[in-house]
Amino acid sequence: MRTLSFITVLLFCANLVAHAQKGKVTTAESLLLQRKFEKAKEVIDEAIKHENCINYAKAHIVRGKIYQGIFEQDSILREQFPDLLDVAWDEYQSAIKLDDKNRLEKELR
């Protein structure tokens, strides 16, 4: 019985961590809409490294949008990160590969 309880608690904690990382994607997207590019970049770069977000197409779309937004609207960060468009392109391509059911097709247009 104790083993079952322990496994249940362990699975619950793992589930919370997975949702926390996807929550960071939402936070990054919100920061992008507020034009807080530097903070959005920090949050999405941290989230995308986590194993739960590596195969999460939405995370790649948000990262692409943030990098593209920095290139288009923040000249200071654009100088610091010269490969912004390359990263954005790669992220969009990753999102296309991961979105096998075309759920995010509208966002990719």
Side-chain angles (χ1 to χ4, degrees):
M1 186 66 176
R2 287 184 183 181
T3 305
L4 182 61
S5 297
F6 176 74
I7 291 171
T8 304
V9 169
L10 188 62
L11 289 173
F12 179 73
C13 290
N15 192 26
L16 285 177
V17 170
H19 288 293
Q21 296 307 317
K22 291 183 178 181
K24 286 184 180 184
V25 173
T26 303
T27 300
E29 189 172 30
S30 176
L31 290 166
L32 171 64
L33 293 174
Q34 298 171 28
R35 295 179 176 229
K36 296 180 180 179
F37 296 111
E38 189 168 2
K39 184 64 178 167
K41 182 183 178 308
E42 289 174 16
V43 172
I44 198 65
D45 286 348
E46 181 182 333
I48 204 81
K49 292 177 188 174
H50 197 274
E51 66 185 57
N52 292 324
C53 288
I54 290 173
N55 295 320
Y56 184 41
K58 176 77 172 179
H60 291 279
I61 290 173
V62 171
R63 189 170 189 225
K65 286 181 178 182
I66 290 170
Y67 277 62
Q68 182 179 354
I70 291 170
F71 180 82
E72 292 173 350
Q73 300 176 20
D74 192 326
S75 59
I76 295 170
L77 285 177
R78 182 175 44 217
E79 291 176 11
Q80 292 177 12
F81 304 102
D83 63 341
L84 290 168
L85 287 183
D86 293 333
V87 174
W89 175 259
D90 291 342
E91 293 301 326
Y92 291 139
Q93 294 302 310
S94 295
I96 290 169
K97 289 177 187 173
L98 293 171
D99 187 30
D100 55 349
K101 296 181 181 177
N102 294 327
R103 293 181 184 161
L104 302 170
E105 185 177 352
K106 289 182 182 178
E107 288 193 55
L108 289 168
R109 289 185 188 174

